Amino acid sequence: MHKYLVRTLCAAALLLLGCYVQAAPIVIKFSHVVTDNTPKGKGAILFKKLVEERLSGKVEVQVFPSSQLFGDADEIIALLKNDTQIIAPALSKFSKFTDVLQLYDLPFLFNDLDAVACFQNSPLGKEMLDSMSKKGIKGLAYWHNGMKQLSGPKPLRVPADASGLKFRIMSSDVLQAQFQAVDANPQKLAFSEVYLALQTGQIDGQENTWSNIYSQKFFEVQPFFVESNHGLLDYMLVTSNRFWKSLPDDVRTELEQIIDEVTVEVNKLASQENEDAKQLIVDSGKTQILQLSSEEKTQWRAAMKPVWEQFKGDIGANYVDAAAACSR
Ligand code: LMR
């Protein structure tokens, strides 16, 4: 009788333990490389807030900004190893996994974020979210940052001013070709290393959005900026097929709903974030921001646009034509 009681109690304890283990929340580590006060940083925080409101006890989100957990070199590999579950790299950083996303790096392809949204919301734009599924990567959404601006040790009014200078680029062959087209010397470098490289003269210049230029303090080590708007820096929010499939259906559905809502918010606030950052840079008085005349801008466009032909075959002419049509 005593033995029977002990066994029953043990079985009940195991059952309770099982319930407890099952009830432990699913942890989503969201790793990224920018600060909290940027479009992506704010998006990650809003995602965490909404998940904790609506999936309390079921899912816990841990946000790791500023390359604290993983940087450019290892975040996609970490995602595939399930060491992080959500990341949002710049579209330029997926070139090892697909050619098609190189589209977004073509210089002067999009006039502004409205043109970007026009393409991303089209059937072809949405199709690109699945471009890495065979590699185990699932595209969840596009998040905006904004248009890139050029900076250097001297005013970069026309392409000839960039000749011979070393520019930091993200790991993209299109960006490499873009700077080679103006006789400059592109250097692929992780985001977290750019400030020091500019400060020490390892590189002369860079291209990025106002929100990144402000939050990384690049304006403190670059005397001249031009508002060139020559290219785009946008993100793809991605997870791994493996993690996404492992989620219970109801949790996955709720996460998809939350991601849709956060995407709308991020894409609404991105332009304002960049405008605010630009104003803060102006107010700092530490650098000069030059405007290009339309004649100067025409020269940049003419020098860089031939890069399209170099990559059109790999990307797919139908994507390039459809994206270009959004800026007409
Ligand atoms: C960069 O490397 O310049 C950007 O991709 C950083 C970011 O995530 O905005």
Side-chain angles (χ1 to χ4, degrees):
M1 179 65 194
H2 177 69
K3 254 191 203 162
Y4 176 74
L5 192 66
V6 170
R7 266 193 214 137
T8 311
L9 281 173
C10 284
L14 278 174
L15 202 65
L16 271 174
L17 193 66
C19 290
Y20 176 74
V21 168
Q22 252 185 352
I26 297 161
V27 174
I28 296 182
K29 290 186 187 157
F30 187 153
S31 170
H32 66 81
V33 301
V34 292
T35 60
D36 288 335
N37 62 338
T38 55
K40 179 162 62 180
K42 290 192 173 178
I45 290 171
L46 180 60
F47 174 70
K48 175 178 168 68
K49 178 173 173 278
L50 295 186
V51 169
E52 285 173 3
E53 276 168 21
R54 300 195 202 153
L55 289 166
S56 166
K58 283 190 181 173
V59 181
E60 181 191 325
V61 177
Q62 300 170 358
V63 178
F64 298 91
S66 299
S67 309
Q68 275 167 21
L69 191 59
F70 299 107
D72 284 340
D74 47 7
E75 64 179 357
I76 302 180
I77 300 302
L79 183 82
L80 292 171
K81 286 162 75 181
N82 204 31
D83 291 338
T84 179
Q85 288 69 38
I86 290 193
I87 56 175
L91 292 160
S92 321
K93 294 178 184 169
F94 291 111
S95 56
K96 283 200 188 110
F97 299 88
T98 177
D99 282 340
V100 87
L101 294 177
Q102 297 187 109
L103 171 87
Y104 290 100
D105 281 338
L106 294 179
F108 294 102
L109 178 62
F110 298 106
N111 284 348
D112 50 31
L113 288 184
D114 287 343
V116 177
C118 152
F119 178 72
Q120 289 177 345
N121 294 329
S122 73
L124 283 181
K126 288 184 183 156
E127 191 182 296
M128 282 183 168
L129 290 171
D130 295 327
S131 58
M132 297 176 287
S133 74
K134 284 200 181 110
K135 303 276 164 71
I137 299 171
K138 181 175 176 54
L140 296 166
Y142 291 110
W143 282 7
H144 291 331
N145 186 326
M147 304 309 285
K148 289 181 290 187
Q149 320 300 341
L150 282 170
S151 70
K154 60 181 187 177
L156 300 170
R157 289 205 171 276
V158 291
D161 295 327
S163 175
L165 296 181
K166 285 179 262 163
F167 285 90
R168 178 268 172 167
I169 54 165
M170 294 182 271
S171 56
S172 149
D173 291 349
V174 178
L175 299 180
Q176 183 167 306
Q178 167 195 277
F179 279 106
Q180 284 166 345
V182 296
D183 290 327
N185 185 355
Q187 315 268 324
K188 292 180 180 172
L189 208 60
F191 185 59
S192 58
E193 293 167 27
V194 181
Y195 180 89
L196 196 63
L198 288 170
Q199 195 185 38
T200 58
Q202 180 193 338
I203 48 170
D204 303 306
Q206 61 83 51
E207 53 165 15
N208 224 308
T209 59
W210 292 125
S211 58
N212 280 347
I213 290 162
Y214 177 70
S215 56
Q216 298 298 313
K217 302 188 170 44
F218 298 159
F219 66 100
E220 293 183 354
V221 286
Q222 287 282 266
F224 296 101
F225 284 81
V226 284
E227 192 152 42
S228 50
N229 290 318
H230 62 283
L232 170 74
L233 197 165
D234 250 28
Y235 306 113
M236 193 184 284
L237 188 76
V238 291
T239 185
S240 68
N241 287 339
R242 170 176 154 201
F243 173 70
W244 210 241
K245 278 190 199 140
S246 76
L247 294 171
D249 288 348
D250 59 328
V251 169
R252 194 186 312 109
T253 304
E254 188 62 50
L255 287 174
E256 279 165 357
Q257 174 60 34
I258 291 171
I259 287 169
D260 285 350
E261 291 175 36
V262 176
T263 299
V264 170
E265 286 310 309
V266 172
N267 291 348
K268 246 196 268 170
L269 65 76
S271 296
Q272 194 56 48
E273 286 295 316
N274 280 302
E275 277 308 303
D276 292 350
K278 179 180 151 194
Q279 192 54 49
L280 289 166
I281 295 169
V282 171
D283 295 347
S284 78
K286 291 189 173 163
T287 190
Q288 285 187 50
I289 301 179
L290 310 170
Q291 299 301 320
L292 297 176
S293 68
S294 63
E295 145 61 15
E296 287 164 343
K297 196 146 181 187
T298 303
Q299 284 196 43
W300 282 102
R301 188 179 283 114
M304 289 179 161
K305 217 176 144 188
V307 167
W308 292 24
E309 287 312 312
Q310 230 174 299
F311 291 90
K312 212 170 181 176
D314 287 346
I315 295 168
N318 55 332
Y319 293 105
V320 179
D321 294 343
C326 282
S327 288
R328 272 185 218 124

